[in-house]
Amino acid sequence: MPSLSLSSRYKIVLALLFIAGSASMSASPLVIPQKQAAHFCQLLVSESPSVSTLALRAHQMIPPDDSLSVEQIFAGYVLLADGWQTMRLFPHQEDGVVSWYSATDELPASIGSEHQKYIREVFPRLVAEVQAGHWQTVDAYIDRMIQYQCQFGGQKLPLRPSPSAIIGIFFLFLALLIPGIVPYDKNRLIVRKLLKVP
C-alpha cells in the first residue's frame, strides 16, 4: 500500500474531524478562525538542527486549499488531532545550550517542576479552549507560549567589549598603522597635491 504524504495525511485527518463534527447533531465542524490559526503558527518548533515557525513548516508541508488557509489546516491538525504531542515546542537552556522538548518527551531533572507541569498541561488546556470556541482565551494561551519560547529559547550571546574599549583599540590600530605607511612630511605633500594647494 503506498504511503501518503504528510499534507495528504493532514487533509485526511482534518476531513475526518469535519465529518465527525457534521455527523453530530449538536455540533458543527470545528474550524479554527484564521486569526487564531495564524497566531498559533507564530510559535517556534525545533527540527534539529534548526528552529523555525510553525507557519514556515506548514507552508512547506501543506498545499493551499480553496476553503481554508494553510495555517487553518495545520493548526486544525496540530490542535484537534493531537499533532502537538511529538512537536518540540518547549525550549530549555542549560550551560548556554538550548534544547527543545515535546510535551511527551522525557524531561531532564534540571527543568523545574513548575516548568514540567506547564509543558505537560498547556496543550490539553489550549485544546479544551479551542473546542469550546473561547478564542480570546486561546489567544492568551498562545501569547504565553510565545513568551515562554522567547524567554527560555534564546541563545546566550558572547560578551562584547565596551564601546570605550572598541574606540581605544581603533586609535591604537591607527597609531601603529599610519606612521609605518607614509612619513608625516610625505602625507602633507600628498594632501596638498590632492587639494591642488601650492
Side-chain angles (χ1 to χ4, degrees), residues 25-102:
M25 300 278 267
S26 61
S28 59
L30 180 58
V31 175
I32 297 173
Q34 172 57 27
K35 179 182 175 219
Q36 281 72 31
H39 190 194
F40 177 74
C41 286
Q42 291 176 4
L43 284 166
L44 299 172
V45 62
S46 173
E47 297 172 2
S48 282
S50 64
V51 175
S52 64
T53 63
L54 289 177
L56 181 63
R57 184 172 181 187
H59 283 276
Q60 290 172 340
M61 298 166 64
I62 301 172
D65 188 283
D66 292 338
S67 57
L68 297 172
S69 71
V70 169
E71 290 85 2
Q72 284 176 297
I73 295 169
F74 190 78
Y77 169 76
V78 172
L79 293 170
L80 302 174
D82 295 334
W84 53 269
Q85 291 187 4
T86 57
M87 297 177 84
R88 289 177 296 176
L89 298 162
F90 302 99
H92 173 66
Q93 191 171 132
E94 191 170 356
D95 298 327
V97 176
V98 178
S99 300
W100 291 74
Y101 299 93
S102 75

Side-chain angles (χ1 to χ4, degrees), residues 110-128:
S110 59
I111 298 180
S113 60
E114 285 300 311
H115 289 275
Q116 290 198 26
K117 183 177 180 182
Y118 175 78
I119 290 169
R120 301 282 187 231
E121 294 180 4
V122 68
F123 265 102
R125 290 180 183 196
L126 175 60
V127 169

